Amino acid sequence: MKKVVIYTDGACSGNPGPGGWGAVLMYGQFKKEISGGEKMTTNNRMELMAAISALSALKEPCEVDLFTDSAYLCRAFSENWVTNWQRNGWKTSGKKEVENRDLWELLIAHTHKHSISWHKVKGHSDNAYNNRCDELARGAIAGCKAKQNGVK
């Protein structure tokens, strides 16, 4: 199985508001950057979309080290929140509906295809790849805002 390193980040201008995500995928000497955005979304949705989009870009099952500055994303897998949500009918420990279920289900599907190790990194610090993902996400937000204002 190929070993791939992925860094992801999501961002929002207002929460909710225009949002963007960015990811850097690395395999050997190869590096690929991807990004995207939505007109009206939340920061958490963009964090999830970054991971989903990066994993979707992989053409075959891989061993993945996925780095994120999102405690929400990382802890959902490392602390088995996702497993508990599924077992509890997609309810939180407080008996509320799990937010972003649609995206969590997409991510879970990727965990069946790839062997993923989740890693939490400090955001907005000295990690060049995390900082690059933030730049990509903020660039996608700018693109969404430009489209909203009629700029092509």
Side-chain angles (χ1 to χ4, degrees):
M1 209 181 273
K2 292 180 179 174
K3 183 160 180 137
V4 177
V5 174
I6 297 174
Y7 281 81
T8 65
D9 195 21
C12 230
S13 180
N15 198 19
W21 57 265
V24 177
L25 298 85
M26 294 171 280
Y27 170 69
Q29 78 255 24
F30 300 103
K31 182 168 70 169
K32 180 177 185 175
E33 295 182 346
I34 59 175
S35 63
E38 295 180 19
K39 291 188 296 189
M40 185 58 65
T41 189
T42 65
N43 187 63
N44 282 341
R45 286 189 71 81
M46 292 295 91
E47 295 284 0
L48 296 172
M49 280 304 302
I52 291 165
S53 299
L55 293 167
S56 295
L58 301 176
K59 294 178 174 37
E60 62 189 74
C62 295
E63 184 179 332
V64 178
D65 279 316
L66 195 146
F67 295 85
T68 176
D69 63 8
S70 170
Y72 175 64
L73 173 57
C74 196
R75 292 177 68 194
F77 288 98
S78 65
E79 296 181 18
N80 296 317
W81 295 354
V82 171
T83 303
N84 294 336
W85 294 335
Q86 290 175 296
R87 185 178 53 240
N88 295 330
W90 287 97
K91 303 273 191 221
T92 66
S93 58
K95 306 296 184 222
K96 295 181 180 174
E97 292 289 326
V98 171
E99 292 183 22
N100 305 311
R101 177 180 174 177
D102 58 332
L103 300 183
W104 288 116
E105 288 178 333
L106 290 172
L107 266 175
I108 290 165
H110 284 295
T111 67
H112 296 300
K113 181 177 181 181
H114 306 289
S115 174
I116 306 169
S117 296
W118 303 89
H119 306 277
K120 171 77 172 70
V121 297
K122 185 175 181 182
H124 309 285
S125 120
D126 61 353
N127 186 302
Y129 294 118
N130 180 258
N131 290 339
R132 180 60 183 146
C133 289
D134 184 63
E135 289 172 5
L136 292 167
R138 298 214 171 272
I141 291 171
C144 287
K145 285 182 175 180
K147 285 180 186 173
Q148 282 179 318
N149 294 327
V151 178
K152 292 184 181 178

